[in-house]
Amino acid sequence: ERCFKGWKKFGSSYYYFSNGRKNWAESRQYCREMGADLVIINSREEQELIKEANIYTWIGLSDAQTEGNWKWVDGSRLTTVYWRKGEPNDAHKDEDCAVYLNEVVSLNTWNDIPCSYEAGWICEL
Ligand code: 2F8
Ligand code: CA
């Protein structure tokens, strides 16, 4: 089995938690350069796994292509959803990328924010 230094193994995937912050596209690029992509959340277990993430952390979810049609970076539709109450709200009609909000800030939920915002990120391989 290959060794992924700094990656956390869970089920059949590996997860990388960033230091530092980037916008959504740059975060995604960082993951792709390592053969991974931003994290896709398909289960309560996976949502629980990312609890140690920073306050604002990009996940691989966006509706940039068609407003209101949230899709994972692999093109798949949402199965489980963990939106914070009242989200996604496309505030100022400018929120097309999703962040994970940690337990302390907002009880382990998601929010849509502008894709240009700088946040931490999680890659999944
Ligand atoms: O009240 C919810 C609202 O809070 C913030 O805007 C004031 C969020 N923006 C950022 O975190 C950048 C909105 O996304 C959120 O809907
Ligand atoms: Ca929002």
Side-chain angles (χ1 to χ4, degrees):
E1 189 173 13
R2 276 175 70 190
C3 174
F4 293 100
K5 209 168 178 223
W7 292 64
K8 184 180 179 125
K9 190 177 197 310
F10 176 75
S12 54
S13 291
Y14 289 85
Y15 300 84
Y16 173 87
F17 292 71
S18 76
N19 296 303
R21 288 147 42 117
K22 294 177 184 291
N23 66 34
W24 190 87
E26 287 166 356
S27 297
R28 185 172 185 209
Q29 185 58 28
Y30 182 99
C31 296
R32 288 170 67 96
E33 279 168 12
M34 292 192 292
D37 210 332
L38 286 170
V39 65
I40 293 173
I41 300 167
N42 303 114
S43 67
R44 167 51 73 179
E45 289 71 26
E46 230 176 348
Q47 177 76 4
E48 293 294 316
L49 178 84
I50 66 174
K51 270 188 175 171
E52 68 191 61
N54 292 316
I55 293 170
Y56 267 61
T57 303
W58 294 121
I59 58 176
L61 183 61
S62 134
D63 76 338
Q65 215 171 9
T66 309
E67 177 55 38
N69 185 11
W70 288 90
K71 279 187 177 174
W72 293 112
V73 284
D74 68 354
S76 62
R77 298 183 147 275
L78 280 67
T79 49
T80 50
V81 302
Y82 297 99
W83 293 115
R84 180 169 68 181
K85 195 159 189 263
E87 308 296 346
N89 64 352
D90 197 31
H92 310 293
K93 296 202 184 304
D94 186 35
E95 299 194 315
D96 292 341
C97 292
V99 276
Y100 168 75
L101 303 170
N102 78 4
E103 189 94 57
V104 180
V105 172
S106 204
L107 300 173
N108 198 29
T109 58
W110 307 342
N111 178 29
D112 61 334
I113 66 171
C115 302
S116 58
Y117 196 90
E118 303 226 315
W121 69 93
I122 300 170
C123 307
E124 179 179 0
L125 178 65

